[in-house]
Amino acid sequence: PGADKEAPLQLDKQLHAFIWRSMSVNNCNTYLIDRSRRILIDPGHSAYFDHVESGLRELGLTVADIDVVLCTHAHPDHIEAVQLFKEAGALFGLHAADWELVRQMAPHLQAAGGFSLDALTPDLLLQEGELNIGDTQLMVYHTPGHSPGSVCFYWPLEKVLVTGDLVFKAGVGRTDLPGGDGRQLKNSIQRVAGLEVDHLLPGHGDTISGAQEVQRNFQRLDSAYLSYL
């Protein structure tokens, strides 16, 4: 997996993307908002944490410099490495419905990774609405479908939408995992499609920049997928 690492993608002077490029090993993209409080979104698998760690290092940062970790949902490829940040003192935010999912998955997660449920206990139970962290105002949209507690983070100031596994470039999240629901996924996609977005940041694959390109992507998804959900 190390060969698939690359320098952080700077989308804005205060926004960085650590894109996971491997086609053979599953892990997620990670995003950093670097303002008065540093916010890291979706730290990924513990086993491939060097992907994030080396990206932070290139920005002159370490795990200890992150104030808050937010997760779009609780699947292991997005949430496992949260424990490393909590050990360093960061706060962790997750939607309550996916915290319940973590509790249900706990025996399997512990068997696979050998960590305790305490290591993934949220400090912040996210809910729909405004989330202020330092001088950054985010809007949390509860967007179930891929998982019961999936959320998108919208940063109105920069017109940034972090979608997790709701939508990708030319694709939508799968609904065949526990708690997945195609009708909910369709409704969630339609909710966020109307936002003013200059940067769409998905959980996997390429980011999309430019308002027209973002809207084109939503239009393609509508014609290619949503009528079948």
Side-chain angles (χ1 to χ4, degrees):
D4 298 290
K5 290 184 294 184
E6 61 181 55
L9 177 64
Q10 186 167 354
L11 299 167
D12 178 88
K13 64 181 181 179
Q14 298 171 325
L15 178 65
H16 305 272
F18 311 134
I19 305 299
W20 183 257
R21 295 293 185 190
S22 175
M23 299 299 290
S24 59
V25 178
N26 181 48
N27 197 27
C28 72
N29 296 336
T30 300
Y31 301 103
L32 171 68
I33 297 175
D34 187 0
R35 286 166 64 85
S36 70
R37 295 289 184 272
R38 293 191 177 98
I39 305 165
L40 193 90
I41 301 174
D42 287 350
H45 267 307
S46 298
Y48 311 125
F49 182 66
D50 62 335
H51 164 66
V52 174
E53 192 170 38
S54 63
L56 290 173
R57 191 181 308 118
E58 289 204 32
L59 297 173
L61 301 173
T62 69
V63 168
D65 293 312
I66 303 303
D67 298 293
V68 179
V69 177
L70 302 176
C71 281
T72 57
H73 62 291
H75 290 156
D77 59 329
H78 289 251
I79 198 176
E80 265 189 5
V82 162
Q83 59 189 322
L84 304 174
F85 290 89
K86 288 202 71 177
E87 289 168 5
L91 299 178
F92 167 46
L94 181 72
H95 192 277
D98 263 27
W99 169 230
E100 182 57 34
L101 190 66
V102 171
R103 290 162 63 89
Q104 293 171 8
M105 294 191 303
H108 309 289
L109 291 172
Q110 289 167 348
F115 50 82
S116 70
L117 196 61
D118 289 344
L120 293 178
T121 302
D123 304 288
L124 312 166
L125 286 176
L126 303 177
Q127 56 186 347
E128 177 101 12
E130 194 173 299
L131 176 64
N132 292 295
I133 301 173
D135 60 356
T136 302
Q137 181 193 78
L138 300 176
M139 296 300 298
V140 178
Y141 285 85
H142 181 210
T143 50
H146 181 64
S147 73
S150 285
V151 299
C152 290
F153 299 108
Y154 181 55
W155 186 12
L157 180 68
E158 299 293 341
K159 297 181 181 177
V160 169
L161 181 66
V162 183
T163 61
D165 288 2
L166 178 67
V167 298
F168 313 111
K169 185 175 183 178
V172 301
R174 56 192 292 187
T175 58
D176 59 337
L177 297 171
D181 185 293
R183 184 177 294 276
Q184 287 187 334
L185 190 83
K186 178 178 180 177
N187 290 340
S188 294
I189 293 171
Q190 290 174 333
R191 281 194 69 207
V192 299
L195 296 172
E196 289 187 40
V197 178
D198 288 342
H199 295 291
L200 189 148
L201 311 183
H204 304 272
D206 290 332
T207 63
I208 305 173
S209 290
Q212 288 187 331
E213 286 304 310
V214 170
Q215 278 308 306
R216 284 193 193 101
N217 192 65
F218 277 119
Q219 289 162 8
R220 292 188 191 110
L221 299 183
D222 187 54
S223 59
Y225 294 100
L226 299 195
S227 60
Y228 301 101
L229 291 175

